[in-house]
Amino acid sequence: MPAGRRGPAAQSARQPPPLLPLLLLCVLGAPRAGSGAHTAVISPQDPTLLIGSSLLATCSVHGDPPGATAEGLYWTLNGRRLPPELSRVLNASTLALALANLNGSRQQSGDNLVCHARDGSILAGSCLYVGLPPEKPVNISCWSKNMKDLTCRWTPGAHGETFLHTNYSLKYKLRWYGQDNTCEEYHTVGPHSCHIPKDLALFTPYEIWVEATNRLGSARSDVLTLDILDVVTTDPPPDVHVSRVGGLEDQLSVRWVSPPALKDFLFQAKYQIRYRVEDSVDWKVVDDVSNQTSCRLAGLKPGTVYFVQVRCNPFGIYGSKKAGIWSEWSHPTAASTPRSERPGPGGGACEPRGGEPSSGPVRRELKQFLGWLKKHAYCSNLSFRLYDQWRAWMQKSHKTRNQDEGILPSGRRGTARGPAR
């Protein structure tokens, strides 16, 4: 029985060499009186008790088998011999056992309580079930990938563990008519899940709930009401590609393909992108991608590897006004930004030198534009033409300036021309 709620049996039991047959008693069936050579019976037989309860059991020998008087008997629990002070002789053929503050069963099939003769042979056995009744299942969520099926999962109550085998059944029916139906394909997306593959109706709500039962009771979840059209999801977008944008060191281009399901049904999709640097676990999410299948990420660090993922949310399904359910994220796709060729710490833009004409207001305006763009991964249809032209000119001007300074006589500097107006 699990630690944390120890009774006297768990505190002082001695452990003999493990016996495999003892551990299988409650799986294959415990010995009963009159079965073959077994000439004793345990009472009560296979009891079910709440955690913390007490148990008074007896082992009564029938007939006159050698060495099987009450004084020669002893008890084991899950293969461990129980201390003799927990037992007492009631008469020449009956040995009693008192256990208090019982722990939850170690195995859901029941703990093995066995009565032995003096020579260690098994006289009788009983399965002991100690646990908790099920709690009300919670957090039911459902989704459909093709508007013909439905997959649901749930959480088995606040504590979950009952220490007993607990059966969960997902039930569903049409809201205003129809009979109860029981889901049959369990454990499809986890231990507490079920898949309904077909025979579902559209344009009418369903009522869905989960029932939990075990030896100590039953519980029923709250009813979830939903329309299949409101819980549609898709597979993640396939074929996600991430590439550089020419020589721009702080941008990456992301392209993907719409999930195949979007081509089969009358609905559209909106997308989200998230990205992170290689050595980080923090993702940055881009929400304003809309229904495009491409996006340019800006304001990135030069010479850095980024991982990018995309997911999809269908909407407008047969005129439904509710958004669907976000798909899983696509597999991460990696790409690196170009290394910055500009001198100085951090690759920042160079300020004008003395004697060099300054671009003045135009330069400041472009810096403001760049500062805004670096704070947003902008994925609308706005053209990047001006930004690309400015960045290309900046890189070219820095290269030209560095070359001129190494060639021209001392005191003279080369002047890079700005972009044509």
Side-chain angles (χ1 to χ4, degrees), residues 83-158:
E85 56 265 26
L86 298 178
S87 304
R88 64 188 179 94
V89 176
L90 296 183
N91 52 52
S93 62
T94 303
L95 180 68
L97 172 70
L99 299 176
N101 193 25
L102 291 170
N103 305 317
S105 295
R106 282 187 176 181
Q107 48 199 27
Q108 291 187 348
S109 58
D111 289 329
N112 301 295
L113 182 63
V114 180
C115 177
H116 297 263
R118 186 188 303 273
D119 62 1
S121 61
I122 297 175
L123 297 178
S126 175
C127 294
L128 181 59
Y129 302 94
V130 183
L132 298 169
E135 295 183 333
K136 180 175 74 173
V138 295
N139 300 329
I140 303 177
S141 61
C142 304
W143 62 91
S144 173
K145 283 195 173 182
N146 57 19
M147 293 190 293
K148 298 177 183 179
D149 74 335
L150 193 68
T151 301
C152 299
R153 61 185 168 199
W154 60 91
T155 303

Side-chain angles (χ1 to χ4, degrees), residues 29 43-44 72 121 135 185 203 205 215 249 269 280 303 306 349 356 368:
S43 180
S121 61
E135 295 183 333
E185 297 182 8
F203 306 106
R215 288 173 168 268
E249 70 267 17
S280 173
Y306 283 87
E356 179 182 4
Q368 291 174 358

Side-chain angles (χ1 to χ4, degrees), residues 59-308:
C59 177
S60 299
V61 179
H62 298 277
D64 190 21
T69 61
E71 292 183 353
L73 305 181
Y74 67 89
W75 297 89
T76 62
L77 182 62
N78 290 330
R80 296 187 178 189
R81 186 165 179 168
L82 298 178
E85 56 265 26
L86 298 178
S87 304
R88 64 188 179 94
V89 176
L90 296 183
N91 52 52
S93 62
T94 303
L95 180 68
L97 172 70
L99 299 176
N101 193 25
L102 291 170
N103 305 317
S105 295
R106 282 187 176 181
Q107 48 199 27
Q108 291 187 348
S109 58
D111 289 329
N112 301 295
L113 182 63
V114 180
C115 177
H116 297 263
R118 186 188 303 273
D119 62 1
S121 61
I122 297 175
L123 297 178
S126 175
C127 294
L128 181 59
Y129 302 94
V130 183
L132 298 169
E135 295 183 333
K136 180 175 74 173
V138 295
N139 300 329
I140 303 177
S141 61
C142 304
W143 62 91
S144 173
K145 283 195 173 182
N146 57 19
M147 293 190 293
K148 298 177 183 179
D149 74 335
L150 193 68
T151 301
C152 299
R153 61 185 168 199
W154 60 91
T155 303
H159 297 95
E161 180 61 76
T162 64
F163 301 98
L164 302 174
H165 174 71
T166 301
N167 182 63
Y168 293 91
S169 298
L170 185 136
K171 304 292 185 69
Y172 63 99
K173 71 171 185 175
L174 293 171
R175 184 175 185 181
W176 293 297
Y177 57 92
Q179 61 182 4
D180 293 0
N181 300 282
T182 301
C183 182
E184 297 180 355
E185 297 182 8
Y186 289 90
H187 314 300
T188 52
V189 291
H192 302 105
S193 63
C194 195
H195 177 240
I196 305 170
K198 59 182 180 178
D199 299 329
L200 294 171
L202 299 179
F203 306 106
T204 184
Y206 276 91
E207 292 184 346
I208 299 173
W209 67 96
V210 177
E211 296 177 355
T213 58
N214 67 15
R215 288 173 168 268
L216 287 172
S218 62
R220 173 173 164 158
S221 72
D222 295 332
V223 175
L224 172 67
T225 302
L226 59 83
D227 191 311
I228 303 297
L229 296 179
D230 296 334
V231 293
V232 175
T233 188
T234 69
D235 291 322
D239 300 327
V240 177
H241 297 278
V242 184
S243 58
R244 295 180 177 181
V245 183
L248 301 181
E249 70 267 17
D250 66 344
Q251 294 189 28
L252 289 173
S253 175
V254 185
R255 293 176 290 107
W256 60 91
V257 177
S258 298
L262 298 181
K263 301 176 182 179
D264 299 332
F265 302 105
L266 299 178
F267 57 84
Q268 297 177 327
K270 57 183 178 180
Y271 299 94
Q272 274 187 344
I273 296 176
R274 70 177 185 177
Y275 62 95
R276 63 174 177 84
V277 297
E278 183 179 23
D279 57 353
S280 173
V281 296
D282 297 325
W283 295 89
K284 182 176 181 180
V285 178
V286 182
D287 287 315
D288 55 352
V289 184
S290 186
N291 63 346
Q292 300 179 80
T293 56
S294 64
C295 173
R296 183 181 294 190
L297 304 177
L300 307 179
K301 297 179 180 179
T304 304
V305 176
Y306 283 87
F307 287 91
V308 181

